[in-house]
């Protein structure tokens, strides 16, 4: 597993919330669902993405916005339009007066809003319900708002628009996978864009010493690595690797390995049939007790508490650069 694959294998939606919103102007939605990640793309018309902290962005048809929670944000036809609907943690929609309009404004299969008109905006949105469905290390790496402009030939957006209103066998699974692919596509474009604030380790992959070291750590997290053994594998001195690795990634090799192991453990704990002991073996800990102690030190809860709580522990720390809260590619 290379470094990028290790990061991007995290998104695995399980029963994600997907919706087409049809909104006649003036309209404004306040999103307070505390979702770890949401994806929004206009299918028709425009929409202002207004984060509480960060730069507002006007979205055009085909633009894809990825919003990292849990901070609230607003979507509106114009920046000054008063909030009309608030979306809560359970995806319930209420007016400013407190009226629940979740069902009364349903327009069909996964469709909600006002009656369609020529000037109505149509938004497609997908929401991951738990952090465990996205991956801890990806969450810790992403900017708060990431916008990829329309590519002109975006097959994923087209497929999502076609599939979101269908009710076929296994339709939820199809939509989950489309949401995963769309998120991965945007994040990969961000990482590959020079000057967009990608984390330090991404650029370090091309270094002739640190790149191979990163791949070894990601491919073999259960190996009993030391700085000396890692340096020997990549053909340099212990001090030389430690110095260069820290300079390029922002943290020492063993600290990086611990963070990677904890991120992998958090994701593996949600795999069917996983036990704390089996996860411990996969990430390089000799016993369930040893993993539990390290996991609680990093995440603040034990592995069992984390799994039973649906993955609501704080995100795993990850090396990041000074990424702007809003990034437009």
């Amino acid at each position: 597993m290379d470094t990028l694959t290790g990061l991007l294998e995290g998104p695995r939606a399980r029963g994600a919330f997907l919706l087409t919103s049809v909104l006649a102007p003036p309209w404004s939605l306040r999103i307070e669902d505390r979702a770890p990640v949401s994806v929004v793309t206009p299918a028709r018309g425009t929409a202002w993405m207004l984060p509480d902290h960060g730069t507002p962005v006007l979205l055009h048809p085909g633009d894809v916005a990825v919003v990292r929670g849990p901070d609230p944000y607003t979507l509106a036809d114009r920046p000054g339009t008063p909030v009309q609907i608030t979306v809560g943690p359970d995806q319930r929609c209420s007016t400013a007066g407190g009226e629940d309009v979740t069902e009364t404004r349903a327009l069909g299969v996964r469709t909600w809003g006002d009656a369609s008109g020529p000037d109505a905006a149509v938004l497609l949105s997908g929401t991951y319900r738990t952090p465990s469905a996205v991956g801890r290390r990806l969450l810790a790496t992403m900017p708060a708002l990431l916008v990829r402009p329309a590519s002109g030939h975006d097959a994923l957006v087209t497929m999502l628009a076609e599939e979101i209103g269908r009710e076929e066998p296994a339709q939820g699974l199809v939509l989950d996978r489309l949401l995963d692919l769309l998120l991965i596509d945007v994040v990969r474009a961000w990482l590959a864009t020079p000057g967009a604030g990608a984390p330090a380790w991404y650029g370090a992959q091309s270094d002739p010493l640190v790149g191979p070291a990163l791949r070894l750590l990601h491919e073999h997290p259960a190996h009993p690595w030391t700085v000396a053994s890692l340096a020997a594998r990549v053909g340099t001195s212990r001090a030389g690797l430690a110095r260069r690795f820290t300079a390029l990634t922002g943290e020492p090799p063993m600290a990086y390995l611990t963070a990677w192991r904890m991120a992998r453990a958090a994701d593996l704990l949600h795999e069917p049939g996983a036990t704390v002991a089996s996860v411990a073996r996969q990430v390089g800990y000799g016993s369930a007790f040893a993993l539990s102690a390290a996991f609680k030190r990093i995440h603040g809860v034990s592995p069992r508490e984390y799994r039973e709580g649906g993955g609501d522990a704080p995100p795993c720390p990850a090396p990041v650069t000074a990424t702007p809260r809003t990034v437009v590619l």
Side-chain angles (χ1 to χ4, degrees):
M1 179 190 303
D2 62 40
T3 314
L4 184 57
T5 299
L7 182 78
L8 295 183
E9 75 163 0
R12 295 179 183 176
R14 299 173 179 88
F17 182 80
L18 288 109
L19 187 70
T20 298
S21 299
V22 182
L23 304 161
W27 60 269
S28 179
L29 305 177
R30 175 73 172 168
I31 313 299
E32 297 181 353
D33 59 5
R34 299 189 62 81
V37 173
S38 296
V39 178
V40 179
T41 178
R44 187 176 73 200
T46 60
W48 278 94
M49 173 67 70
L50 305 165
D52 282 12
H53 307 285
T55 305
V57 178
L58 178 61
L59 303 176
H60 296 87
D63 294 349
V64 180
V66 174
V67 190
R68 174 175 55 78
D71 292 346
Y73 60 95
T74 301
L75 287 162
D77 65 328
R78 297 179 182 275
T81 300
V83 172
Q84 299 162 348
I85 300 294
T86 298
V87 181
D90 53 359
Q91 301 299 330
R92 305 298 297 183
C93 302
S94 58
T95 65
E99 179 188 358
D100 189 325
V101 292
T102 308
E103 276 79 33
T104 57
R105 297 196 185 181
L107 299 175
V109 177
R110 300 185 191 87
T111 305
W112 183 93
D114 304 308
S116 181
D119 57 348
V122 178
L123 304 182
L124 310 178
S125 59
T127 301
Y128 288 84
R129 296 179 184 270
T130 65
S132 63
V134 183
R136 290 282 164 185
R137 199 151 178 93
L138 177 55
L139 281 176
T141 300
M142 288 170 54
L145 173 59
L146 180 59
V147 178
R148 190 207 66 188
S151 65
H153 301 283
D154 198 326
L156 290 175
V157 172
T158 300
M159 289 179 66
L160 182 62
E162 293 174 348
E163 293 288 342
I164 200 169
R166 292 182 180 175
E167 198 63 279
E168 303 288 344
Q171 190 66 18
L173 181 62
V174 171
L175 293 172
D176 281 350
R177 296 293 77 80
L178 284 174
L179 182 61
D180 290 343
L181 289 171
L182 190 55
L183 173 60
I184 290 170
D185 185 60
V186 175
V187 172
R188 188 171 58 178
W190 164 57
L191 292 171
T193 301
W201 58 258
Y202 185 75
Q205 292 181 108
S206 60
D207 184 82
L209 293 179
V210 178
L214 283 168
R215 285 190 288 275
L216 285 169
L217 296 180
H218 276 256
E219 290 171 3
H220 307 287
H223 186 81
W225 293 110
T226 64
V227 179
S229 65
L230 189 61
R233 288 289 300 272
V234 300
T236 189
S237 69
R238 178 185 181 281
L241 177 64
R243 184 169 54 250
R244 191 166 184 83
F245 194 104
T246 303
L248 292 183
T249 69
E251 59 184 341
M254 294 301 100
Y256 183 97
L257 175 60
T258 297
W260 170 235
R261 283 172 167 171
M262 292 301 100
R264 286 291 297 147
D267 292 340
L268 289 169
L269 283 166
H270 289 278
E271 293 294 325
T275 66
V276 177
S278 67
V279 171
R281 290 191 295 271
Q282 292 180 72
V283 298
Y285 286 84
S287 67
F289 178 81
L291 173 62
S292 295
F295 194 94
K296 189 165 187 176
R297 186 174 65 251
I298 296 295
H299 289 299
V301 295
S302 71
R304 286 189 175 86
E305 290 170 331
Y306 168 81
R307 180 166 55 191
E308 291 169 1
D312 292 330
C316 177
V320 296
T321 56
T323 305
R325 292 187 63 86
T326 300
V327 176
V328 181
L329 303 179

Tab-separated table of all heavy atoms in Angstrom, residues 242-261:
chain	number	residue	atom	x	y	z
A	242	ALA	N	16.340	10.352	10.031
A	242	ALA	CA	15.525	11.055	11.022
A	242	ALA	C	15.454	12.540	10.709
A	242	ALA	O	14.384	13.161	10.774
A	242	ALA	CB	16.090	10.825	12.417
A	243	ARG	N	16.592	13.115	10.355
A	243	ARG	CA	16.644	14.552	10.062
A	243	ARG	C	15.849	14.894	8.811
A	243	ARG	O	15.046	15.828	8.803
A	243	ARG	CB	18.106	14.984	9.914
A	243	ARG	CG	18.313	16.460	9.700
A	243	ARG	CD	19.783	16.839	9.823
A	243	ARG	NE	20.626	16.036	8.954
A	243	ARG	CZ	21.488	15.105	9.396
A	243	ARG	NH1	21.574	14.845	10.708
A	243	ARG	NH2	22.232	14.408	8.561
A	244	ARG	N	16.039	14.116	7.747
A	244	ARG	CA	15.363	14.419	6.478
A	244	ARG	C	13.863	14.121	6.558
A	244	ARG	O	13.033	14.878	6.037
A	244	ARG	CB	16.007	13.628	5.346
A	244	ARG	CG	15.557	14.060	3.950
A	244	ARG	CD	16.471	13.488	2.884
A	244	ARG	NE	16.095	13.966	1.577
A	244	ARG	CZ	16.471	15.140	1.065
A	244	ARG	NH1	17.214	15.965	1.801
A	244	ARG	NH2	16.097	15.506	-0.147
A	245	PHE	N	13.508	13.022	7.203
A	245	PHE	CA	12.100	12.645	7.347
A	245	PHE	C	11.338	13.731	8.110
A	245	PHE	O	10.253	14.156	7.698
A	245	PHE	CB	12.013	11.310	8.091
A	245	PHE	CG	10.665	10.646	8.028
A	245	PHE	CD1	10.452	9.557	7.200
A	245	PHE	CD2	9.600	11.091	8.816
A	245	PHE	CE1	9.206	8.925	7.143
A	245	PHE	CE2	8.362	10.467	8.765
A	245	PHE	CZ	8.167	9.382	7.927
A	246	THR	N	11.914	14.187	9.202
A	246	THR	CA	11.251	15.210	10.013
A	246	THR	C	11.123	16.522	9.251
A	246	THR	O	10.078	17.195	9.310
A	246	THR	CB	12.032	15.441	11.316
A	246	THR	OG1	12.149	14.197	12.028
A	246	THR	CG2	11.335	16.464	12.205
A	247	ALA	N	12.179	16.879	8.503
A	247	ALA	CA	12.145	18.136	7.747
A	247	ALA	C	11.074	18.114	6.666
A	247	ALA	O	10.413	19.129	6.409
A	247	ALA	CB	13.518	18.404	7.132
A	248	LEU	N	10.861	16.970	6.030
A	248	LEU	CA	9.936	16.905	4.894
A	248	LEU	C	8.492	16.579	5.289
A	248	LEU	O	7.559	17.001	4.604
A	248	LEU	CB	10.432	15.871	3.873
A	248	LEU	CG	11.731	16.224	3.139
A	248	LEU	CD1	12.065	15.146	2.113
A	248	LEU	CD2	11.633	17.580	2.456
A	249	THR	N	8.297	15.830	6.367
A	249	THR	CA	6.939	15.440	6.746
A	249	THR	C	6.400	16.227	7.936
A	249	THR	O	5.194	16.233	8.180
A	249	THR	CB	6.856	13.942	7.096
A	249	THR	OG1	7.564	13.698	8.315
A	249	THR	CG2	7.428	13.086	5.968
A	250	GLY	N	7.283	16.857	8.692
A	250	GLY	CA	6.840	17.633	9.847
A	250	GLY	C	6.842	16.874	11.150
A	250	GLY	O	6.488	17.429	12.196
A	251	GLU	N	7.246	15.589	11.152
A	251	GLU	CA	7.333	14.828	12.393
A	251	GLU	C	8.335	13.685	12.231
A	251	GLU	O	8.614	13.242	11.108
A	251	GLU	CB	5.967	14.285	12.803
A	251	GLU	CG	5.320	13.374	11.797
A	251	GLU	CD	3.917	12.957	12.236
A	251	GLU	OE1	3.600	13.076	13.431
A	251	GLU	OE2	3.146	12.506	11.378
A	252	PRO	N	8.905	13.187	13.333
A	252	PRO	CA	9.886	12.102	13.260
A	252	PRO	C	9.266	10.808	12.733
A	252	PRO	O	8.054	10.614	12.813
A	252	PRO	CB	10.351	11.953	14.717
A	252	PRO	CG	9.979	13.224	15.392
A	252	PRO	CD	8.732	13.697	14.699
A	253	PRO	N	10.105	9.894	12.229
A	253	PRO	CA	9.575	8.653	11.647
A	253	PRO	C	8.685	7.844	12.583
A	253	PRO	O	7.627	7.366	12.186
A	253	PRO	CB	10.838	7.873	11.269
A	253	PRO	CG	11.894	8.913	11.091
A	253	PRO	CD	11.573	9.994	12.051
A	254	MET	N	9.101	7.680	13.841
A	254	MET	CA	8.312	6.839	14.742
A	254	MET	C	7.009	7.516	15.167
A	254	MET	O	5.999	6.843	15.404
A	254	MET	CB	9.137	6.441	15.967
A	254	MET	CG	10.320	5.532	15.638
A	254	MET	SD	9.861	3.950	14.826
A	254	MET	CE	10.216	4.323	13.085
A	255	ALA	N	7.003	8.832	15.262
A	255	ALA	CA	5.752	9.537	15.549
A	255	ALA	C	4.788	9.400	14.376
A	255	ALA	O	3.575	9.219	14.564
A	255	ALA	CB	6.030	11.013	15.844
A	256	TYR	N	5.329	9.477	13.165
A	256	TYR	CA	4.510	9.288	11.969
A	256	TYR	C	3.927	7.876	11.960
A	256	TYR	O	2.728	7.682	11.674
A	256	TYR	CB	5.343	9.522	10.715
A	256	TYR	CG	4.553	9.428	9.434
A	256	TYR	CD1	4.059	10.567	8.815
A	256	TYR	CD2	4.295	8.191	8.838
A	256	TYR	CE1	3.318	10.486	7.644
A	256	TYR	CE2	3.553	8.098	7.676
A	256	TYR	CZ	3.075	9.247	7.073
A	256	TYR	OH	2.330	9.152	5.920
A	257	LEU	N	4.756	6.889	12.285
A	257	LEU	CA	4.300	5.501	12.286
A	257	LEU	C	3.196	5.291	13.312
A	257	LEU	O	2.192	4.611	13.034
A	257	LEU	CB	5.478	4.566	12.570
A	257	LEU	CG	5.135	3.077	12.715
A	257	LEU	CD1	4.485	2.544	11.442
A	257	LEU	CD2	6.382	2.271	13.070
A	258	THR	N	3.347	5.867	14.495
A	258	THR	CA	2.312	5.724	15.521
A	258	THR	C	0.983	6.312	15.049
A	258	THR	O	-0.080	5.701	15.215
A	258	THR	CB	2.749	6.412	16.821
A	258	THR	OG1	3.927	5.767	17.321
A	258	THR	CG2	1.650	6.338	17.876
A	259	ALA	N	1.035	7.499	14.444
A	259	ALA	CA	-0.188	8.127	13.941
A	259	ALA	C	-0.827	7.273	12.850
A	259	ALA	O	-2.055	7.117	12.798
A	259	ALA	CB	0.117	9.524	13.416
A	260	TRP	N	-0.008	6.708	11.974
A	260	TRP	CA	-0.530	5.856	10.909
A	260	TRP	C	-1.148	4.581	11.483
A	260	TRP	O	-2.235	4.153	11.076
A	260	TRP	CB	0.576	5.522	9.920
A	260	TRP	CG	0.243	4.475	8.904
A	260	TRP	CD1	0.926	3.336	8.658
A	260	TRP	CD2	-0.865	4.470	7.983
A	260	TRP	NE1	0.331	2.609	7.660
A	260	TRP	CE2	-0.771	3.286	7.223
A	260	TRP	CE3	-1.912	5.356	7.746
A	260	TRP	CZ2	-1.702	2.962	6.242
A	260	TRP	CZ3	-2.842	5.024	6.760
A	260	TRP	CH2	-2.728	3.842	6.018
A	261	ARG	N	-0.474	3.981	12.468
A	261	ARG	CA	-1.027	2.776	13.089
A	261	ARG	C	-2.371	3.062	13.764
A	261	ARG	O	-3.308	2.263	13.671
A	261	ARG	CB	-0.030	2.234	14.118
A	261	ARG	CG	1.156	1.489	13.505
A	261	ARG	CD	2.196	1.156	14.552
A	261	ARG	NE	3.180	0.196	14.052
A	261	ARG	CZ	4.295	-0.138	14.688
A	261	ARG	NH1	4.570	0.433	15.868
A	261	ARG	NH2	5.129	-1.014	14.176
